[in-house]
Amino acid sequence: TPSLLSIVFGLFPGVPVFFFLSGFLVWNSVEKSDNIVEFGKKRFWRIFPQLWSANLIGIIAIIFTYTELTSYTKIAFYGLKSGILLIPGTPDFLNNYGCGTPNGALWTIYVTIQFYLVVYFIHKLLHGKCMLTWIMIIAASLVVAFVSNYSQYILPRNLYNIYNLTIFRYFWLFAIGSFVAEKRDKIIPFLKKYWLVFIGCV
């Protein structure tokens, strides 16, 4: 029987919540930025120092704990590829390390960065728009996400793996977060009042 704590945490799966919060917080960041350069600097310092630190710690852990490591050149190239060049994927020589990848959550960073690249322009298009416009955008992104579930049967395996790391199938989560940030004066008081009902429905 699952504990009450595990049930509560189960209501908030990590990746959807992370993307939703990214949409909410970054939308606010755009509003507080005077221009795109300032916004870009904020996003850079928000994500890359932490990414590089996590990447470095991961590489050190591999060097000291992975008995099958045979080449420091390979691990250095992997660190450069994943931490600096932001090229996703786990090389074959790490397939037996841990759960098959040094950092299984790293793919979410690639998706989030894609959102960073477009959110400033999306904000310019949607800021101040009515509820109906937002609902249509979210509905359209949900359709794309639904259709994306069947892309594995259409696309070649390598192309599907690449598509799976794009923003298209996850954009609806960012969009909902941005929507809540945009309409927070109306939505947040409503959620505060009916949050128990909302959790019950989830």
Side-chain angles (χ1 to χ4, degrees):
T1 303
S3 65
L4 177 61
L5 189 61
S6 64
I7 293 174
V8 171
F9 281 131
L11 295 174
F12 302 95
V15 171
V17 170
F18 173 65
F19 287 161
F20 168 84
L21 289 177
S22 294
F24 181 87
L25 295 173
V26 176
W27 193 264
N28 288 331
S29 179
V30 174
E31 293 182 346
K32 295 176 182 178
S33 301
D34 294 330
N35 52 60
I36 192 171
V37 174
E38 181 183 346
F39 172 74
K41 289 179 179 178
K42 289 180 181 178
R43 294 305 95 207
F44 177 89
W45 291 112
R46 175 63 183 86
I47 199 167
F48 280 98
Q50 293 89 333
L51 173 62
W52 293 336
S53 298
N55 195 261
L56 179 61
I57 292 171
I59 289 174
I60 293 173
I62 292 171
I63 291 173
F64 283 98
T65 64
Y66 190 39
T67 57
E68 297 182 28
L69 180 63
T70 59
S71 172
Y72 292 110
T73 302
K74 288 183 177 180
I75 193 62
F77 180 73
Y78 166 74
L80 174 66
K81 184 183 75 168
S82 60
I84 306 297
L85 302 178
L86 297 178
I87 300 175
T90 301
D92 293 340
F93 74 93
L94 290 176
N95 284 341
N96 294 325
Y97 178 77
C99 61
T101 177
N103 190 340
L106 191 60
W107 69 271
T108 60
I109 301 299
Y110 303 129
V111 177
T112 303
I113 289 175
Q114 293 171 57
F115 179 66
Y116 287 175
L117 293 174
V118 299
V119 65
Y120 189 88
F121 305 101
I122 293 174
H123 183 274
K124 296 303 178 185
L125 291 173
L126 294 180
H127 181 55
K129 294 296 188 295
C130 65
M131 286 276 191
L132 180 60
T133 300
W134 276 95
I135 291 172
M136 292 174 62
I137 294 294
I138 294 171
S141 61
L142 277 168
V143 171
V144 172
F146 178 78
V147 173
S148 295
N149 291 329
Y150 298 93
S151 60
Q152 59 181 316
Y153 305 112
I154 302 171
L155 300 175
R157 183 65 181 176
N158 290 339
L159 191 57
Y160 170 73
N161 290 338
I162 294 174
Y163 178 77
N164 211 31
L165 291 176
T166 65
I167 196 176
F168 299 110
R169 69 181 310 161
Y170 310 103
F171 181 76
W172 66 278
L173 292 163
F174 294 103
I176 293 175
S178 299
F179 169 66
V180 173
E182 173 73 15
K183 305 295 183 181
R184 57 187 175 273
D185 292 341
K186 295 180 179 179
I187 294 176
I188 292 181
F190 176 83
L191 293 178
K192 285 181 178 179
K193 187 175 181 179
Y194 297 105
W195 68 276
L196 280 175
V197 177
F198 177 75
I199 294 297
C201 293
V202 174

